[in-house]
mmCIF file of all heavy atoms in Angstrom:
data_model
loop_
_atom_site.group_PDB
_atom_site.id
_atom_site.type_symbol
_atom_site.label_atom_id
_atom_site.label_comp_id
_atom_site.label_asym_id
_atom_site.label_seq_id
_atom_site.Cartn_x
_atom_site.Cartn_y
_atom_site.Cartn_z
ATOM 1 N N ASP A 24 -67.947 -10.233 12.840
ATOM 2 C CA ASP A 24 -66.963 -11.152 12.278
ATOM 3 C C ASP A 24 -65.778 -10.317 11.820
ATOM 4 O O ASP A 24 -65.964 -9.286 11.166
ATOM 5 C CB ASP A 24 -67.567 -11.918 11.098
ATOM 6 C CG ASP A 24 -66.653 -13.021 10.596
ATOM 7 O OD1 ASP A 24 -65.834 -13.535 11.390
ATOM 8 O OD2 ASP A 24 -66.753 -13.371 9.405
ATOM 9 N N ILE A 25 -64.573 -10.722 12.169
ATOM 10 C CA ILE A 25 -63.361 -10.001 11.768
ATOM 11 C C ILE A 25 -62.841 -10.623 10.487
ATOM 12 O O ILE A 25 -62.623 -11.834 10.420
ATOM 13 C CB ILE A 25 -62.300 -10.033 12.883
ATOM 14 C CG1 ILE A 25 -62.836 -9.320 14.124
ATOM 15 C CG2 ILE A 25 -61.000 -9.405 12.398
ATOM 16 C CD1 ILE A 25 -61.932 -9.400 15.336
ATOM 17 N N LEU A 26 -62.654 -9.779 9.465
ATOM 18 C CA LEU A 26 -62.160 -10.244 8.173
ATOM 19 C C LEU A 26 -60.638 -10.312 8.210
ATOM 20 O O LEU A 26 -59.987 -9.570 8.946
ATOM 21 C CB LEU A 26 -62.620 -9.303 7.065
ATOM 22 C CG LEU A 26 -64.137 -9.084 6.986
ATOM 23 C CD1 LEU A 26 -64.475 -8.074 5.900
ATOM 24 C CD2 LEU A 26 -64.852 -10.398 6.720
ATOM 25 N N ASN A 27 -60.068 -11.167 7.392
ATOM 26 C CA ASN A 27 -58.608 -11.289 7.326
ATOM 27 C C ASN A 27 -57.984 -9.995 6.822
ATOM 28 O O ASN A 27 -58.512 -9.351 5.914
ATOM 29 C CB ASN A 27 -58.199 -12.437 6.397
ATOM 30 C CG ASN A 27 -58.448 -13.786 7.027
ATOM 31 O OD1 ASN A 27 -58.483 -13.916 8.247
ATOM 32 N ND2 ASN A 27 -58.659 -14.787 6.193
ATOM 33 N N ASP A 28 -56.856 -9.628 7.406
ATOM 34 C CA ASP A 28 -56.113 -8.432 6.987
ATOM 35 C C ASP A 28 -55.168 -8.832 5.859
ATOM 36 O O ASP A 28 -54.303 -9.681 6.041
ATOM 37 C CB ASP A 28 -55.333 -7.865 8.180
ATOM 38 C CG ASP A 28 -54.574 -6.597 7.827
ATOM 39 O OD1 ASP A 28 -54.820 -6.026 6.741
ATOM 40 O OD2 ASP A 28 -53.719 -6.182 8.628
ATOM 41 N N ASP A 29 -55.353 -8.217 4.709
ATOM 42 C CA ASP A 29 -54.515 -8.527 3.550
ATOM 43 C C ASP A 29 -53.411 -7.497 3.353
ATOM 44 O O ASP A 29 -52.966 -7.252 2.234
ATOM 45 C CB ASP A 29 -55.381 -8.598 2.279
ATOM 46 C CG ASP A 29 -56.419 -9.700 2.370
ATOM 47 O OD1 ASP A 29 -56.148 -10.709 3.025
ATOM 48 O OD2 ASP A 29 -57.504 -9.532 1.776
ATOM 49 N N SER A 30 -52.946 -6.881 4.460
ATOM 50 C CA SER A 30 -51.888 -5.865 4.350
ATOM 51 C C SER A 30 -50.623 -6.492 3.791
ATOM 52 O O SER A 30 -50.212 -7.574 4.229
ATOM 53 C CB SER A 30 -51.561 -5.260 5.718
ATOM 54 O OG SER A 30 -52.708 -4.677 6.272
ATOM 55 N N PRO A 31 -49.966 -5.796 2.837
ATOM 56 C CA PRO A 31 -48.744 -6.357 2.246
ATOM 57 C C PRO A 31 -47.598 -6.477 3.253
ATOM 58 O O PRO A 31 -46.773 -7.378 3.150
ATOM 59 C CB PRO A 31 -48.406 -5.369 1.128
ATOM 60 C CG PRO A 31 -49.191 -4.134 1.397
ATOM 61 C CD PRO A 31 -50.358 -4.529 2.240
ATOM 62 N N ASP A 32 -47.545 -5.594 4.270
ATOM 63 C CA ASP A 32 -46.422 -5.654 5.221
ATOM 64 C C ASP A 32 -46.650 -6.694 6.317
ATOM 65 O O ASP A 32 -45.726 -7.013 7.069
ATOM 66 C CB ASP A 32 -46.131 -4.276 5.816
ATOM 67 C CG ASP A 32 -47.276 -3.722 6.659
ATOM 68 O OD1 ASP A 32 -48.195 -4.491 6.999
ATOM 69 O OD2 ASP A 32 -47.247 -2.524 6.963
ATOM 70 N N GLY A 33 -47.879 -7.216 6.429
ATOM 71 C CA GLY A 33 -48.160 -8.247 7.421
ATOM 72 C C GLY A 33 -47.957 -7.785 8.852
ATOM 73 O O GLY A 33 -47.751 -8.589 9.747
ATOM 74 N N GLY A 34 -48.027 -6.483 9.111
ATOM 75 C CA GLY A 34 -47.856 -5.960 10.471
ATOM 76 C C GLY A 34 -46.407 -5.940 10.924
ATOM 77 O O GLY A 34 -46.130 -5.864 12.113
ATOM 78 N N VAL A 35 -45.458 -5.989 9.981
ATOM 79 C CA VAL A 35 -44.031 -5.988 10.303
ATOM 80 C C VAL A 35 -43.417 -4.700 9.768
ATOM 81 O O VAL A 35 -43.720 -4.266 8.658
ATOM 82 C CB VAL A 35 -43.333 -7.209 9.668
ATOM 83 C CG1 VAL A 35 -41.840 -7.187 9.930
ATOM 84 C CG2 VAL A 35 -43.953 -8.496 10.190
ATOM 85 N N ALA A 36 -42.548 -4.081 10.576
ATOM 86 C CA ALA A 36 -41.857 -2.858 10.141
ATOM 87 C C ALA A 36 -40.487 -2.807 10.807
ATOM 88 O O ALA A 36 -40.311 -3.321 11.919
ATOM 89 C CB ALA A 36 -42.658 -1.623 10.535
ATOM 90 N N PRO A 37 -39.513 -2.198 10.142
ATOM 91 C CA PRO A 37 -38.211 -2.025 10.794
ATOM 92 C C PRO A 37 -38.324 -0.971 11.900
ATOM 93 O O PRO A 37 -39.236 -0.151 11.899
ATOM 94 C CB PRO A 37 -37.309 -1.538 9.657
ATOM 95 C CG PRO A 37 -38.247 -0.896 8.684
ATOM 96 C CD PRO A 37 -39.544 -1.636 8.803
ATOM 97 N N GLU A 38 -37.401 -1.004 12.847
ATOM 98 C CA GLU A 38 -37.388 -0.004 13.916
ATOM 99 C C GLU A 38 -37.331 1.380 13.287
ATOM 100 O O GLU A 38 -36.636 1.595 12.300
ATOM 101 C CB GLU A 38 -36.211 -0.235 14.859
ATOM 102 C CG GLU A 38 -36.365 0.555 16.151
ATOM 103 C CD GLU A 38 -35.513 0.005 17.275
ATOM 104 O OE1 GLU A 38 -34.518 -0.686 17.000
ATOM 105 O OE2 GLU A 38 -35.866 0.270 18.420
ATOM 106 N N ASN A 39 -38.091 2.310 13.860
ATOM 107 C CA ASN A 39 -38.273 3.690 13.387
ATOM 108 C C ASN A 39 -39.122 3.763 12.116
ATOM 109 O O ASN A 39 -39.339 4.844 11.583
ATOM 110 C CB ASN A 39 -36.941 4.419 13.172
ATOM 111 C CG ASN A 39 -36.252 4.667 14.493
ATOM 112 O OD1 ASN A 39 -36.910 5.073 15.465
ATOM 113 N ND2 ASN A 39 -34.960 4.379 14.563
ATOM 114 N N GLY A 40 -39.607 2.645 11.632
ATOM 115 C CA GLY A 40 -40.497 2.634 10.472
ATOM 116 C C GLY A 40 -41.950 2.783 10.929
ATOM 117 O O GLY A 40 -42.243 3.049 12.095
ATOM 118 N N SER A 41 -42.849 2.607 9.994
ATOM 119 C CA SER A 41 -44.284 2.711 10.290
ATOM 120 C C SER A 41 -44.971 1.397 9.948
ATOM 121 O O SER A 41 -44.555 0.692 9.039
ATOM 122 C CB SER A 41 -44.919 3.829 9.458
ATOM 123 O OG SER A 41 -44.387 5.069 9.830
ATOM 124 N N VAL A 42 -46.011 1.130 10.696
ATOM 125 C CA VAL A 42 -46.821 -0.057 10.414
ATOM 126 C C VAL A 42 -48.295 0.344 10.513
ATOM 127 O O VAL A 42 -48.679 1.115 11.381
ATOM 128 C CB VAL A 42 -46.467 -1.228 11.361
ATOM 129 C CG1 VAL A 42 -46.850 -0.937 12.787
ATOM 130 C CG2 VAL A 42 -47.107 -2.524 10.899
ATOM 131 N N ARG A 43 -49.071 -0.168 9.565
ATOM 132 C CA ARG A 43 -50.512 0.105 9.527
ATOM 133 C C ARG A 43 -51.227 -1.219 9.825
ATOM 134 O O ARG A 43 -51.086 -2.183 9.081
ATOM 135 C CB ARG A 43 -50.899 0.622 8.150
ATOM 136 C CG ARG A 43 -52.363 0.989 7.997
ATOM 137 C CD ARG A 43 -52.681 1.480 6.591
ATOM 138 N NE ARG A 43 -51.796 2.523 6.141
ATOM 139 C CZ ARG A 43 -51.996 3.837 6.299
ATOM 140 N NH1 ARG A 43 -53.084 4.240 6.912
ATOM 141 N NH2 ARG A 43 -51.130 4.711 5.861
ATOM 142 N N LEU A 44 -51.960 -1.239 10.942
ATOM 143 C CA LEU A 44 -52.734 -2.416 11.326
ATOM 144 C C LEU A 44 -54.200 -2.153 11.003
ATOM 145 O O LEU A 44 -54.737 -1.116 11.377
ATOM 146 C CB LEU A 44 -52.570 -2.708 12.814
ATOM 147 C CG LEU A 44 -51.128 -2.903 13.305
ATOM 148 C CD1 LEU A 44 -51.117 -3.079 14.819
ATOM 149 C CD2 LEU A 44 -50.502 -4.115 12.626
ATOM 150 N N ARG A 45 -54.822 -3.100 10.288
ATOM 151 C CA ARG A 45 -56.232 -2.939 9.915
ATOM 152 C C ARG A 45 -57.053 -4.063 10.522
ATOM 153 O O ARG A 45 -56.654 -5.213 10.495
ATOM 154 C CB ARG A 45 -56.398 -2.980 8.392
ATOM 155 C CG ARG A 45 -55.972 -1.690 7.747
ATOM 156 C CD ARG A 45 -56.582 -1.500 6.385
ATOM 157 N NE ARG A 45 -58.025 -1.385 6.504
ATOM 158 C CZ ARG A 45 -58.861 -1.685 5.529
ATOM 159 N NH1 ARG A 45 -58.410 -2.106 4.381
ATOM 160 N NH2 ARG A 45 -60.151 -1.558 5.680
ATOM 161 N N CYS A 46 -58.202 -3.687 11.032
ATOM 162 C CA CYS A 46 -59.156 -4.658 11.546
ATOM 163 C C CYS A 46 -60.502 -4.313 10.940
ATOM 164 O O CYS A 46 -61.175 -3.387 11.385
ATOM 165 C CB CYS A 46 -59.226 -4.610 13.073
ATOM 166 S SG CYS A 46 -60.407 -5.779 13.763
ATOM 167 N N LYS A 47 -60.884 -5.042 9.918
ATOM 168 C CA LYS A 47 -62.152 -4.825 9.236
ATOM 169 C C LYS A 47 -63.139 -5.831 9.803
ATOM 170 O O LYS A 47 -62.888 -7.032 9.792
ATOM 171 C CB LYS A 47 -61.972 -5.010 7.726
ATOM 172 C CG LYS A 47 -63.225 -4.837 6.926
ATOM 173 C CD LYS A 47 -63.596 -3.381 6.809
ATOM 174 C CE LYS A 47 -64.834 -3.238 5.928
ATOM 175 N NZ LYS A 47 -65.702 -2.180 6.364
ATOM 176 N N ALA A 48 -64.251 -5.323 10.326
ATOM 177 C CA ALA A 48 -65.256 -6.190 10.922
ATOM 178 C C ALA A 48 -66.608 -5.958 10.251
ATOM 179 O O ALA A 48 -66.923 -4.853 9.840
ATOM 180 C CB ALA A 48 -65.359 -5.925 12.424
#
C-alpha cells in the first residue's frame, strides 16, 4: 500500500531547483 506523500513542496520546484519525491509503502 502506498502512503500519501506529505512533502511540503508537493513535488514542485523552480527550474534549476531541487525536488524530493517520496514514496512510502
Side-chain angles (χ1 to χ4, degrees):
D24 188 26
I25 297 174
L26 304 177
N27 286 335
D28 182 12
D29 298 329
S30 301
D32 64 13
V35 177
E38 194 160 22
N39 292 316
S41 295
V42 67
R43 182 181 309 269
L44 304 176
R45 283 201 64 205
C46 179
K47 179 75 177 144

